[in-house]
Amino acid sequence: MLKIAILSGSSRPDSQSGKVATYLQQQLQQRGEQACVLDLAVTPLPLWPAGPAEHWPAMQAQLVEADALVVIAPEWHGMACPAVKNFFLYASKAELAHKPALLVGVSSGIGGAYPISELRASGYKNCRLCYLPEHLIIRQVEQVLNAGTALVNELGLTGTKYGCGIAACGQAKKRWRQRCAVPTWMPSSCATARSGRASRSASACPSHFSR
Protein backbone atom coordinates (compact mmCIF):
# COMPACT_ATOMS: atom_id res chain seq x y z
CA MET A 1 0.00 0.00 0.00
CA LEU A 2 1.40 3.37 -1.04
CA LYS A 3 1.23 6.52 1.05
CA ILE A 4 0.45 9.45 -1.25
CA ALA A 5 0.47 13.10 -0.19
CA ILE A 6 -1.83 15.40 -2.18
CA LEU A 7 -0.86 19.07 -2.13
CA SER A 8 -3.72 21.50 -2.70
CA GLY A 9 -1.77 24.53 -3.88
CA SER A 10 -4.38 27.27 -3.57
CA SER A 11 -4.34 29.68 -0.63
CA ARG A 12 -8.02 30.51 -1.08
CA PRO A 13 -10.53 29.09 1.44
CA ASP A 14 -12.91 26.51 -0.07
CA SER A 15 -10.88 26.55 -3.27
CA GLN A 16 -11.49 24.58 -6.44
CA SER A 17 -8.04 23.01 -5.94
CA GLY A 18 -9.19 21.72 -2.56
CA LYS A 19 -12.21 20.16 -4.25
CA VAL A 20 -9.97 18.42 -6.78
CA ALA A 21 -7.68 17.23 -3.97
CA THR A 22 -10.61 15.68 -2.09
CA TYR A 23 -11.80 13.93 -5.25
CA LEU A 24 -8.35 12.47 -5.97
CA GLN A 25 -8.02 11.38 -2.35
CA GLN A 26 -11.31 9.48 -2.58
CA GLN A 27 -10.26 7.83 -5.84
CA LEU A 28 -6.96 6.68 -4.36
CA GLN A 29 -8.58 5.38 -1.20
CA GLN A 30 -11.07 3.39 -3.25
CA ARG A 31 -8.07 1.70 -4.88
CA GLY A 32 -6.65 0.71 -1.51
CA GLU A 33 -3.99 3.42 -1.20
CA GLN A 34 -3.40 5.75 1.73
CA ALA A 35 -3.83 9.39 0.78
CA CYS A 36 -3.64 12.58 2.81
CA VAL A 37 -4.41 16.13 1.69
CA LEU A 38 -2.07 19.00 2.51
CA ASP A 39 -4.25 22.06 1.94
CA LEU A 40 -2.28 25.31 1.83
CA ALA A 41 -5.48 27.25 2.53
CA VAL A 42 -6.19 25.33 5.73
CA THR A 43 -2.56 25.06 6.85
CA PRO A 44 -0.85 28.06 5.20
CA LEU A 45 2.90 28.53 5.15
CA PRO A 46 4.21 32.07 5.74
CA LEU A 47 6.15 33.68 2.94
CA TRP A 48 9.62 32.17 3.14
CA PRO A 49 11.86 33.00 5.01
CA ALA A 50 9.68 35.18 7.23
CA GLY A 51 9.48 33.82 10.77
CA PRO A 52 8.55 30.37 12.12
CA ALA A 53 6.07 28.29 10.13
CA GLU A 54 3.49 26.92 12.53
CA HIS A 55 2.15 24.21 10.20
CA TRP A 56 5.40 23.14 8.57
CA PRO A 57 6.60 20.50 11.10
CA ALA A 58 3.41 18.43 10.76
CA MET A 59 3.41 18.88 6.97
CA GLN A 60 7.08 17.94 6.83
CA ALA A 61 6.44 14.70 8.73
CA GLN A 62 3.67 13.72 6.31
CA LEU A 63 5.93 14.42 3.33
CA VAL A 64 8.75 12.32 4.78
CA GLU A 65 6.39 9.37 5.25
CA ALA A 66 4.85 9.71 1.77
CA ASP A 67 5.94 7.45 -1.06
CA ALA A 68 4.68 9.83 -3.76
CA LEU A 69 3.25 13.30 -4.20
CA VAL A 70 0.40 14.86 -6.18
CA VAL A 71 0.86 18.60 -6.77
CA ILE A 72 -2.33 20.48 -7.60
CA ALA A 73 -1.36 23.85 -9.06
CA PRO A 74 -4.12 26.34 -9.96
CA GLU A 75 -3.41 28.76 -12.78
CA TRP A 76 -3.50 32.37 -11.66
CA HIS A 77 -2.86 34.96 -14.40
CA GLY A 78 -1.06 32.37 -16.50
CA MET A 79 1.26 31.28 -13.66
CA ALA A 80 1.51 28.80 -10.82
CA CYS A 81 -0.02 30.45 -7.76
CA PRO A 82 2.33 31.90 -5.09
CA ALA A 83 1.47 29.32 -2.40
CA VAL A 84 2.78 26.45 -4.57
CA LYS A 85 6.05 28.25 -5.31
CA ASN A 86 6.41 29.12 -1.63
CA PHE A 87 5.88 25.45 -0.69
CA PHE A 88 8.91 24.44 -2.74
CA LEU A 89 11.03 26.94 -0.79
CA TYR A 90 10.20 24.96 2.36
CA ALA A 91 10.30 21.43 0.96
CA SER A 92 13.78 20.09 0.26
CA LYS A 93 15.46 16.86 -0.76
CA ALA A 94 15.11 15.70 2.87
CA GLU A 95 11.36 15.32 2.30
CA LEU A 96 11.00 14.81 -1.46
CA ALA A 97 14.20 13.46 -3.02
CA HIS A 98 13.63 10.85 -5.74
CA LYS A 99 9.91 10.51 -5.03
CA PRO A 100 7.52 10.37 -8.01
CA ALA A 101 5.09 13.25 -8.38
CA LEU A 102 2.04 13.88 -10.54
CA LEU A 103 1.32 17.45 -11.62
CA VAL A 104 -2.32 18.57 -11.82
CA GLY A 105 -3.20 21.89 -13.43
CA VAL A 106 -6.47 23.59 -12.53
CA SER A 107 -8.23 26.30 -14.55
CA SER A 108 -11.64 27.96 -14.47
CA GLY A 109 -11.40 28.29 -18.25
CA ILE A 110 -9.57 26.31 -20.92
CA GLY A 111 -6.06 26.93 -19.56
CA GLY A 112 -4.20 24.99 -16.89
CA ALA A 113 -1.02 24.10 -18.79
CA TYR A 114 1.12 27.06 -17.73
CA PRO A 115 1.62 26.09 -14.04
CA ILE A 116 2.59 22.58 -15.15
CA SER A 117 5.19 23.96 -17.57
CA GLU A 118 6.48 26.35 -14.92
CA LEU A 119 6.88 23.70 -12.21
CA ARG A 120 8.51 21.26 -14.62
CA ALA A 121 11.10 23.91 -15.36
CA SER A 122 11.98 24.90 -11.79
CA GLY A 123 9.96 23.09 -9.10
CA TYR A 124 12.16 20.01 -8.88
CA LYS A 125 15.76 21.28 -8.95
CA ASN A 126 16.82 21.45 -5.31
CA CYS A 127 14.23 19.07 -3.84
CA ARG A 128 15.05 16.46 -6.53
CA LEU A 129 11.41 15.52 -6.99
CA CYS A 130 10.79 13.24 -9.98
CA TYR A 131 7.80 14.45 -12.00
CA LEU A 132 5.97 11.81 -14.00
CA PRO A 133 5.86 12.38 -17.78
CA GLU A 134 2.06 12.32 -17.61
CA HIS A 135 -0.01 15.08 -16.00
CA LEU A 136 -3.64 16.05 -15.46
CA ILE A 137 -5.38 19.30 -16.39
CA ILE A 138 -8.82 20.06 -14.94
CA ARG A 139 -10.45 22.67 -17.17
CA GLN A 140 -13.76 24.45 -16.48
CA VAL A 141 -13.17 23.32 -12.90
CA GLU A 142 -16.16 25.21 -11.50
CA GLN A 143 -18.46 23.03 -13.61
CA VAL A 144 -17.04 19.60 -12.76
CA LEU A 145 -16.62 17.31 -9.74
CA ASN A 146 -19.60 18.89 -7.96
CA ALA A 147 -21.90 16.38 -6.29
CA GLY A 148 -25.58 16.72 -7.14
CA THR A 149 -25.16 18.68 -10.36
CA ALA A 150 -25.74 17.30 -13.82
CA LEU A 151 -25.59 18.79 -17.25
CA VAL A 152 -27.36 17.54 -20.35
CA ASN A 153 -25.33 18.39 -23.42
CA GLU A 154 -26.19 18.44 -27.08
CA LEU A 155 -25.37 14.73 -27.41
CA GLY A 156 -28.05 13.77 -24.90
CA LEU A 157 -25.47 12.55 -22.36
CA THR A 158 -25.96 13.32 -18.70
CA GLY A 159 -23.06 13.51 -16.28
CA THR A 160 -21.24 15.91 -14.00
CA LYS A 161 -17.76 15.30 -15.36
CA TYR A 162 -18.11 14.27 -18.97
CA GLY A 163 -21.18 16.35 -19.82
CA CYS A 164 -19.52 19.62 -18.79
CA GLY A 165 -16.30 18.62 -20.51
CA ILE A 166 -18.04 17.97 -23.83
CA ALA A 167 -20.01 21.20 -23.59
CA ALA A 168 -16.88 23.23 -22.79
CA CYS A 169 -15.00 21.77 -25.74
CA GLY A 170 -17.95 22.49 -28.02
CA GLN A 171 -17.97 26.14 -26.95
CA ALA A 172 -14.20 26.39 -27.47
CA LYS A 173 -14.51 24.95 -30.99
CA LYS A 174 -17.23 27.50 -31.79
CA ARG A 175 -15.05 30.38 -30.60
CA TRP A 176 -12.13 29.07 -32.66
CA ARG A 177 -14.27 28.89 -35.83
CA GLN A 178 -15.51 32.44 -35.20
CA ARG A 179 -11.93 33.67 -35.00
CA CYS A 180 -11.13 31.95 -38.29
CA ALA A 181 -14.25 33.22 -40.07
CA VAL A 182 -13.92 35.51 -43.09
CA PRO A 183 -15.16 39.08 -42.38
CA THR A 184 -17.98 40.28 -44.64
CA TRP A 185 -16.06 43.46 -45.53
CA MET A 186 -13.00 41.65 -46.90
CA PRO A 187 -12.44 41.72 -50.72
CA SER A 188 -13.11 38.43 -52.44
CA SER A 189 -9.45 37.83 -53.41
CA CYS A 190 -8.31 38.29 -49.80
CA ALA A 191 -11.25 36.28 -48.52
CA THR A 192 -10.22 33.31 -50.66
CA ALA A 193 -6.66 33.41 -49.33
CA ARG A 194 -7.81 33.83 -45.76
CA SER A 195 -10.34 31.04 -46.09
CA GLY A 196 -7.54 28.68 -47.09
CA ARG A 197 -5.46 29.73 -44.11
CA ALA A 198 -8.44 29.38 -41.80
CA SER A 199 -9.03 25.81 -42.97
CA ARG A 200 -5.42 24.91 -42.28
CA SER A 201 -5.53 26.73 -38.94
CA ALA A 202 -8.69 24.93 -37.86
CA SER A 203 -7.16 21.57 -38.69
CA ALA A 204 -4.18 22.46 -36.52
CA CYS A 205 -6.13 23.86 -33.59
CA PRO A 206 -5.01 22.86 -30.06
CA SER A 207 -5.78 19.27 -29.17
CA HIS A 208 -7.94 20.15 -26.17
CA PHE A 209 -10.48 21.78 -28.53
CA SER A 210 -11.16 18.38 -30.08
CA ARG A 211 -11.47 16.40 -26.86
Side-chain angles (χ1 to χ4, degrees):
M1 179 185 297
L2 293 175
K3 295 181 179 179
I4 301 174
I6 304 172
L7 178 71
S8 174
S10 176
S11 56
R12 290 174 173 168
D14 300 319
S15 67
Q16 298 296 319
S17 296
K19 177 182 71 175
V20 173
T22 300
Y23 174 82
L24 293 178
Q25 181 187 35
Q26 294 171 349
Q27 294 299 309
L28 289 168
Q29 290 173 344
Q30 289 175 9
R31 288 160 174 76
E33 311 295 350
Q34 290 185 353
C36 65
V37 173
L38 308 177
D39 193 330
L40 295 179
V42 178
T43 54
L45 297 173
L47 185 64
W48 190 88
E54 175 187 354
H55 301 294
W56 175 242
M59 191 178 296
Q60 184 180 35
Q62 289 179 298
L63 291 170
V64 169
E65 293 180 359
D67 299 304
L69 183 67
V70 176
V71 180
I72 300 174
E75 181 174 311
W76 290 8
H77 297 274
M79 300 177 286
C81 71
V84 170
K85 304 289 284 188
N86 190 52
F87 166 82
F88 282 108
L89 294 174
Y90 281 89
S92 68
K93 60 185 180 181
E95 297 85 28
L96 302 178
H98 312 302
K99 293 181 180 180
L102 174 70
L103 284 169
V104 181
V106 174
S107 173
S108 60
I110 58 173
Y114 287 106
I116 291 176
S117 176
E118 183 177 342
L119 292 176
R120 283 196 187 281
S122 63
Y124 70 95
K125 180 180 179 295
N126 288 352
C127 67
R128 300 179 185 174
L129 194 62
C130 299
Y131 288 126
L132 298 177
E134 296 83 3
H135 58 256
L136 297 177
I137 299 179
I138 313 297
R139 296 187 169 100
Q140 305 286 354
V141 67
E142 295 174 349
Q143 301 179 35
V144 298
L145 307 180
N146 294 310
T149 60
L151 182 148
V152 179
N153 58 57
E154 64 273 14
L155 299 180
L157 301 177
T158 303
T160 301
K161 180 178 179 181
Y162 299 106
C164 293
I166 292 170
C169 289
Q171 293 168 4
K173 272 188 169 182
K174 182 178 179 181
R175 288 194 296 271
W176 184 268
R177 292 194 185 103
Q178 288 173 345
R179 288 177 59 188
C180 295
V182 177
T184 55
W185 49 263
M186 184 174 289
S188 58
S189 58
C190 296
T192 302
R194 174 163 176 160
S195 179
R197 290 196 300 271
S199 297
R200 291 191 296 272
S201 178
S203 64
C205 67
S207 58
H208 62 259
F209 287 157
S210 59
R211 294 180 182 174

